[in-house]
Amino acid sequence: MRIVFIGPPGAGKGTQSLKVASALGITHLSTGEVLREANEKGTPLGLRAKEYLDNGCLVPDDVVVELVAERLDGPDCERGYLFDGFPRTLPQAEILDRLLRERGLPLDGAVLFEIGEAELFRRLAERGRSDDDGYTIRKRLRDYAALTEPVAQYYTQQQTLHRIDAVGTQQEVFDRISRSLGFDA
Ligand code: B4P
């Protein structure tokens, strides 16, 4: 099974994707996590990503796509994968489609986390990561509206979008996702 999770920063994509990937026995791939790890290790990819991550900006598409393309053919991806936070722009969605087409694989579902701004600010203030200050959050939300919301429209047109109410306990949100994707929790 191949699934993507999209939603604004702090919507709970990372939290839920770990649970869903584990329930489905597929690999969890978080572009945010890979970029942060590369940054901490000081690899060439990390050094390129650092200024974007620190300022709450999206990392350029070519960097993210290179990272994703490398991972798709890993042995741990044979049973399927869940992309957490990818695609975040229309070009990324189109490239993912092409990568899947080349491998003769369909995308089984795109899950959109729906949540209001006040709850996002509350969650991110509590999480307190280095890119979770008020100014950076506002910038990330603007980027989300401009660059990532079109990705949700793209998947609506492809009839693969599952809209999920992301407000509630972690278990409630997980139950909504499992019902919508049609697997037993
Ligand atoms: P990500 O790592 O994807 O993180 P995020 O969007 O900020 O948060 P997420 O939605 O995963 O929320 P979480 O579960 O942590 O991105 C970070 C950065 O990486 C981006 O800004 C960008 O710079 C870069 N990046 C990543 N992918 C990219 C791409 N494809 N292209 C370009 N750049 C890219 O939850 C947040 C908090 O809420 C947590 O503290 C959690 O405990 C809490 N929470 C979760 N569920 C809850 C619930 N139901 N109730 C209450 N609290 C809850």
Side-chain angles (χ1 to χ4, degrees), residues 5 11 36 58-59 77 92 144:
F5 275 11
R36 278 191 295 278
L58 289 184
V59 174
C77 287
Q92 290 183 15
Y144 176 77

Side-chain angles (χ1 to χ4, degrees), residues 100-173:
L100 291 174
R101 232 183 2 257
E102 285 168 359
R103 289 160 178 76
L105 300 167
L107 182 70
D108 297 290
V111 175
L112 173 68
F113 286 63
E114 296 189 306
I115 182 168
E117 282 196 9
E119 175 66 6
L120 290 176
F121 272 91
R122 195 191 65 72
R123 288 185 187 182
L124 292 174
E126 226 165 82
R127 183 173 71 178
R129 212 167 62 192
S130 61
D131 54 348
D132 286 339
D133 65 282
Y135 175 82
T136 313
I137 295 170
R138 274 188 287 279
K139 154 115 191 66
R140 289 158 68 199
L141 287 174
R142 277 199 306 274
D143 280 355
Y144 176 77
L147 300 169
T148 312
E149 279 181 2
V151 176
Q153 289 158 22
Y154 179 80
Y155 288 125
T156 302
Q157 281 159 8
Q158 295 196 350
Q159 301 183 332
T160 44
L161 194 76
H162 298 254
R163 292 178 178 276
I164 299 293
D165 175 4
V167 182
T169 65
Q170 293 186 9
Q171 186 61 43
E172 284 166 346
V173 178

Side-chain angles (χ1 to χ4, degrees), residues 3-6 13 16-17 20 82-86 111 113:
I3 306 169
V4 300
F5 275 11
I6 51 184
K13 302 180 295 291
Q16 293 296 331
S17 57
V20 172
L82 190 166
F83 275 121
D84 160 12
F86 176 85
V111 175
F113 286 63

